[in-house]
Amino acid sequence: MNYKKGSINDLPELVKTNFQIFNGMYEWPPYTLDQYTERLNGVNPTIFIAERDDKIIGDSIAFEKDGGWYLWILGVLEEYRKQGVAAHLLDLNEQHARDNSYKEITVKVYNVSKEMLKLLIERGYEIVDIHKDKDNKYNGIVLRFVL
Ligand SMILES: CC(C)(COP(=O)(O)OP(=O)(O)OC[C@H]1O[C@@H](n2cnc3c(N)ncnc32)[C@H](O)[C@@H]1OP(=O)(O)O)[C@@H](O)C(=O)NCCC(=O)NCCS
């Protein structure tokens, strides 16, 4: 597995990978390139990419929000899960946030993402808020990790 820092120029490739990762997970379809571009406009994101044999198999996208480090996207292709890739992407984000003097990392996870919730809670992330959805299926669980 190889890990590298990505850039906005990698977005077209990442959007394709993330389509496979997130397709069918939520009631809404995975974000399009336009939606990524719009969300990341002006926020100077930090992107980490996990590759195996030059193929992107996972990634994370994070940026500063409300004075802290906000992890917006993190995913790993299904066939490459349970090998510690997400844990390593979290390590990279936590180190990057520490190196840039952020005091905390915040993540919003929908409660359909059980694997992510489990991973974060086991790492010591604490639930600090819940954005309730009308039928509870897509409640957004906000977790915070103090660095
Ligand atoms: C959530 C997600 C990113 C986790 O990715 P992952 O690479 O499988 O995560 P990891 O391998 O680091 O950890 C997952 C589990 O594998 C275990 N694991 C890690 N390395 C392992 C290894 N070498 N052998 C066996 N198990 C291992 C971890 O301990 C962890 O166990 P747990 O589930 O009991 O806590 C992935 O499931 C995913 O992309 N899901 C869809 C997208 C999503 O939900 N993203 C989050 C939205 S906010």
Side-chain angles (χ1 to χ4, degrees):
M1 215 69 70
N2 180 45
Y3 295 89
K4 65 176 191 185
K5 228 176 183 176
S7 78
I8 288 290
N9 298 333
D10 295 306
L11 274 183
E13 276 304 307
L14 295 183
V15 170
K16 282 188 214 158
T17 305
N18 289 352
F19 185 90
Q20 293 175 53
I21 293 171
F22 292 99
N23 195 23
M25 240 184 113
Y26 308 118
E27 253 163 7
W28 54 94
Y31 297 143
T32 61
L33 179 57
D34 282 350
Q35 286 170 308
Y36 275 87
T37 308
E38 192 179 320
R39 183 66 184 85
L40 297 176
N41 183 28
V43 301
N44 190 23
T46 293
I47 298 172
F48 290 109
I49 296 175
E51 287 179 334
R52 164 76 64 81
D53 303 326
D54 288 332
K55 172 185 149 105
I56 297 177
I57 56 107
D59 62 282
S60 70
I61 305 178
F63 43 83
E64 182 184 305
K65 189 178 170 190
D66 302 329
W69 197 240
Y70 180 67
L71 183 59
W72 179 48
I73 301 270
L74 192 150
V76 176
L77 285 174
E78 201 160 359
E79 55 272 40
Y80 297 95
R81 289 180 193 166
K82 305 265 176 206
Q83 299 175 42
V85 176
H88 194 79
L89 289 168
L90 287 168
D91 285 343
L92 290 170
N93 274 282
E94 290 163 8
Q95 195 53 50
H96 176 86
R98 274 191 202 99
D99 290 346
N100 288 278
S101 306
Y102 292 103
K103 299 283 177 265
E104 55 189 36
I105 296 196
T106 305
V107 196
K108 182 174 164 186
V109 182
Y110 291 94
N111 63 345
V112 290
S113 303
K114 307 287 186 217
E115 296 295 332
M116 185 67 167
L117 278 171
K118 196 162 163 249
L119 190 60
L120 293 173
I121 285 170
E122 281 169 2
R123 283 178 82 91
Y125 285 63
E126 302 276 358
I127 295 173
V128 292
D129 200 4
I130 299 183
H131 300 164
K132 274 181 68 67
D133 173 48
K134 54 185 178 331
D135 61 6
N136 289 324
K137 191 171 173 195
Y138 294 100
N139 287 344
I141 299 153
V142 182
L143 298 105
R144 186 160 300 152
F145 185 65
V146 178
L147 293 162

